[in-house]
Amino acid sequence: MLRSCTAGLRSIWALRGRREGAPRLSMDLQPARRLFSTEKVIHKDWALPNPSWSKDLKLLFDQFMKKCEDGSWERLPSYKRRSTQESEDFKTYFLDPKLVEEERLSQAQLFTRGFEDGLGFEYVIFKNNDEKRTVCLFQGGPYLQGVPGLLHGGAMATMIDIALGSCTGGAVMTANLNINFKRPVPLCSVVVINSQLDKLEGRKLFLSCNVRSVDEKTLYSEATGLFIKLDPEKSST
Ligand SMILES: CCCCCCCCCCCCCCCC(=O)SCCNC(=O)CCNC(=O)[C@H](O)C(C)(C)COP(=O)(O)OP(=O)(O)OC[C@H]1O[C@@H](n2cnc3c(N)ncnc32)[C@H](O)[C@@H]1OP(=O)(O)O
């Protein structure tokens, strides 16, 4: 397993620079102002295939894109940064202006999208609005290792949180997340996270998901989550 992952890592590094428009690591370390002037980086949709995607991931992606054709499913785009307006709206809920350095905040980005292609979180989420469920296709790269050769449980928890959150829509926060890790996930493998909204009670959204192998034979994890719709009248800080 380790050998195949090392090979994967080598090929990922070999692919660096070959992908048109792929941001270089050094670019991510540039001052925020320069990043924000780089339109391509802000508006780039990361939930699309890149050369690091395995055959399994590409195959599943194509299958779900087909399901999108009749409008029953949609692919959710994914950006590193929220729009200025969204960030401003969200700040009003949480951020005490005295505690925030604007310069720092302008560098903020979704941490799952902060890795170079293939090294961290490669994922795409498809949503079925009528059925109130999502399917997240996730390939965890070599920088997400926990126990040697295996995906870190925290990385899995992150993806579960995002997958469950994608079933909610709107401004919500995770209040509770319960995960049963049943089998370890091999690093660099692809898993499928099926999430659904089970119950809506006032501002409380109860969700659940399972994480399975591509062939559906292995159940890696099961989880439930409670998300709370934010109340604009309340500040959480
Ligand atoms: C507009 C812009 C949009 C932008 C859109 C961006 C989206 C970008 C997506 C990226 C995807 C990243 C996804 C990352 C998701 C996180 O990582 S979130 C970060 C981790 N979570 C947190 O830090 C949350 C910290 N907790 C809190 O801030 C507050 O507790 C909450 C969750 C906002 C709730 O506070 P509140 O609004 O004051 O609600 P509160 O009155 O306490 O509770 C409401 C109800 O929920 C119940 N409840 C609350 N907590 C719990 C709990 N833990 N267990 C059981 N019941 C609970 C209460 O008992 C109450 O029940 P009822 O009495 O109504 O029956």
Side-chain angles (χ1 to χ4, degrees), residues 8 32 54 61 78 80 102 107-108 123 171 184 203 215:
S54 68
F61 176 84
S78 173
K80 269 190 180 182
E102 282 296 329
Q107 295 176 60
Y123 62 98
R203 291 196 293 129
D215 64 9

Side-chain angles (χ1 to χ4, degrees), residues 57-117:
L57 187 53
K58 276 186 275 193
L59 207 70
L60 281 168
F61 176 84
D62 290 342
Q63 285 171 8
F64 272 92
M65 287 306 283
K66 274 246 165 302
K67 291 187 187 194
C68 292
E69 284 170 10
D70 67 5
S72 54
W73 287 83
E74 63 169 320
R75 183 187 66 86
L76 302 182
S78 173
Y79 305 102
K80 269 190 180 182
R81 298 187 172 78
R82 312 303 302 184
S83 72
T84 313
Q85 188 53 55
E86 268 182 337
S87 301
E88 286 304 316
D89 290 350
F90 217 67
K91 263 160 49 179
T92 59
Y93 285 112
F94 291 104
L95 300 178
D96 179 343
K98 291 193 293 292
L99 304 175
V100 177
E101 269 182 63
E102 282 296 329
E103 178 74 12
R104 285 267 173 199
L105 202 61
S106 67
Q107 295 176 60
Q109 60 179 34
L110 190 61
F111 85 95
T112 49
R113 294 303 187 187
F115 296 81
E116 287 192 64
D117 290 351

